[in-house]
Amino acid sequence: MRISTANLYANSTSQINTLQGALARTQMQLSTDRRLLTAADDPVASARALEVSQSQEINAQFATNRNSAKSSLAQVESTLQNTGDLLQDIQTLAVTGGNASMVQSDREKLATELEGRLADLLGIANTADGSGGYLFSGYMTTTQPFTSTPTGAAYQGDQGVRQLQVSDSRKLPLSASGSAIFEAIPTGNGTFQTQAGSANKGAALISSGSVVDRQAFNSTKYGIEFAVSTDTPPVTTYSVYNTSSNPKAVVSSGNAYEAGKQITFGGMAFDIKGAPANGDTFSVEPSQKQSVFTTVTDLIATLRLPGEGSAGKAALSNGLNTALDNLKNAHDNVLTVQSSVGAHMKELDYLDSTGDDLDIQYAATLDDLVGLDTVKAISDFSQQQMTLQAAQMSFKTMSGLSLFNYL
């Protein structure tokens, strides 16, 4: 069979080009550490690898979101810790104000100190988030949450809670609204509140009380009015009124008063101690929501009352007891929010662990789909290199054959 020179050169060039292409492809696989260089190499695996790569990128973005959430929640937790410490300090000052050995000038000093604590509390509530906004203003991040008022402070934010997507199926709050932390504080014992009338002239003190029958308790407002006879010795009785109705309705009347004896009605129980004067009144109403700033402001006003005489001391003690109940509720509320923040931070740790496991899984899947068997690739590269060199040498030899070399 005769092979023309042109055919020899064409076939040899084509084979060498094919070998060089295979060698170059193997070299590219080694340099990129990828088995698939184009989608045409394996369309199914390439499509699947694209899906896994996108999932891996989303998982990485969730990890970034979790880091941002941790930073924000850590700042909130620290701020709430400071708030709790400050409220404990205020409670201590309130207890000190009830010391019988203190005179009016001493209580005035406490009131002045509490004004500083109130300013500190307002400053904490207006804590900035470090990115041009405020922690506790809800969605209105650029609006200062609280402004000072004569009765405490007014909330300027909204009830929104900013959230961030931290996993495929989970959003976590980055903070809490200032209203939920500093304003939505139940008064009294958290269910109902007992208070002495502002015009009382006796020396009676009323306790916070508790609910003893949940089924009998409702939102009715009650009033207690004392009557002291002119007999010798005087007889003290009290009547209970339903003040929710207009006019007020009598619940019971002519009840004999015994200091410290439990008084029960409407599913509630409490006691009154001391000596009430004729016409003294007390109210028993369902708890309301009150701002902690109002509570501290009222406490300051209470400390500045003229706590002299039996009536003055009773008014001071009743006012301080009310303030202590409300401060305790405020502190409990802060602790509840702080506990929720801690739970969210712990959940982020769990989600981080899950995200790390997912990342490992995605990496393993991608390696199965597009990863390169390096040992095999190196072996193939060496074999292809030797084959190419052999082809080049044989072509050189064949192209050098000619009859003119023997003439």
Side-chain angles (χ1 to χ4, degrees):
M1 181 179 63
R2 296 182 61 186
I3 300 176
S4 66
T5 302
N7 191 30
L8 172 66
Y9 274 83
N11 289 338
S12 299
T13 301
S14 175
Q15 292 174 356
I16 290 174
N17 285 339
T18 300
L19 292 174
Q20 284 180 330
L23 184 65
R25 185 177 184 280
T26 305
Q27 189 276 332
M28 184 64 71
Q29 288 178 327
L30 287 169
S31 63
T32 59
D33 197 32
R34 288 173 59 89
R35 179 177 64 87
L36 303 182
L37 300 178
T38 64
D41 294 337
D42 189 336
V44 176
S46 295
R48 176 59 181 151
L50 180 60
E51 294 176 356
V52 175
S53 296
Q54 291 174 340
S55 298
Q56 190 176 39
E57 291 173 1
I58 293 173
N59 188 52
Q61 183 58 56
F62 285 147
T64 301
N65 290 358
R66 288 192 292 270
N67 287 334
S68 298
K70 282 182 181 180
S71 177
S72 179
L73 290 175
Q75 186 177 11
V76 172
E77 198 276 337
S78 176
T79 303
L80 292 176
Q81 180 65 48
N82 293 336
T83 302
D85 293 342
L86 187 57
L87 287 175
Q88 282 186 317
D89 190 25
I90 292 174
Q91 290 179 75
T92 300
L93 291 175
V95 172
T96 303
N99 193 324
S101 64
M102 298 193 77
V103 296
Q104 186 59 36
S105 60
D106 296 327
R107 291 193 293 272
E108 178 62 35
K109 293 175 183 177
L110 286 178
T112 302
E113 188 174 353
L114 279 171
E115 288 177 338
R117 297 293 190 276
L118 179 59
D120 293 340
L121 187 61
L122 187 61
I124 290 176
N126 288 330
T127 299
D129 60 7
S131 58
Y134 295 91
L135 279 182
F136 305 123
S137 57
Y139 292 138
M140 303 172 65
T141 55
T142 58
T143 301
Q144 180 174 296
F146 292 93
T147 55
S148 180
T149 65
T151 58
Y155 184 57
Q156 306 298 325
D158 59 25
Q159 308 303 316
V161 178
R162 286 169 287 162
Q163 293 184 324
L164 188 62
Q165 191 85 31
V166 293
S167 72
D168 283 331
S169 58
R170 191 72 172 101
K171 286 184 178 180
L172 285 182
L174 299 179
S175 181
S177 72
S179 177
I181 299 173
F182 299 99
E183 287 205 318
I185 313 298
T187 55
N189 58 24
T191 306
F192 65 89
Q193 181 179 25
T194 59
Q195 284 187 309
S198 58
N200 284 2
K201 297 179 180 179
L205 304 177
I206 188 168
S207 68
S208 301
S210 60
V211 175
V212 293
D213 187 349
R214 286 286 176 184
Q215 293 182 342
F217 178 77
N218 53 47
S219 58
T220 303
K221 298 179 181 180
Y222 296 95
I224 302 172
E225 186 173 335
F226 280 87
V228 181
S229 70
T230 56
D231 299 337
T232 304
V235 177
T236 302
T237 60
Y238 67 90
S239 299
V240 180
Y241 298 92
N242 180 344
T243 57
S244 294
S245 61
N246 189 17
K248 63 183 181 180
V250 177
V251 177
S252 64
S253 62
N255 302 292
Y257 169 68
E258 183 179 339
K261 183 179 180 180
Q262 191 176 70
I263 299 174
T264 304
F265 57 82
M268 301 172 290
F270 55 90
D271 61 70
I272 297 176
K273 298 177 182 178
N278 185 52
D280 280 0
T281 60
F282 295 87
S283 64
V284 183
E285 301 179 353
S287 293
Q288 305 295 322
K289 300 297 183 181
Q290 179 171 292
S291 166
V292 66
F293 303 106
T294 299
T295 297
V296 178
T297 301
D298 291 345
L299 173 58
I300 293 171
T302 298
L303 288 172
R304 285 177 170 153
L305 291 175
E308 305 300 332
S310 58
K313 291 179 179 178
L316 176 64
S317 295
N318 281 318
L320 289 176
N321 289 339
T322 298
L324 284 170
D325 285 340
N326 294 340
L327 285 170
K328 177 184 178 297
N329 293 338
H331 191 208
D332 289 344
N333 186 65
V334 169
L335 291 177
T336 299
V337 178
Q338 189 175 1
S339 175
S340 175
V341 171
H344 292 324
M345 294 180 72
K346 188 168 185 177
E347 184 176 356
L348 285 172
D349 290 336
Y350 286 130
L351 290 173
D352 271 343
S353 178
T354 302
D356 291 341
D357 291 342
L358 276 176
D359 192 59
I360 294 173
Q361 180 181 340
Y362 289 144
T365 302
L366 281 175
D367 187 62
D368 290 340
L369 292 170
V370 301
L372 181 68
D373 186 342
T374 306
V375 175
K376 182 178 181 302
I378 292 174
S379 176
D380 290 343
F381 183 82
S382 299
Q383 182 180 2
Q384 289 166 352
Q385 187 179 33
M386 291 177 62
T387 303
L388 177 60
Q389 289 173 348
Q392 290 171 338
M393 292 295 296
S394 62
F395 174 69
K396 178 181 177 182
T397 302
M398 290 185 66
S399 62
L401 295 176
S402 174
L403 289 174
F404 293 104
N405 295 332
Y406 299 98
L407 295 177

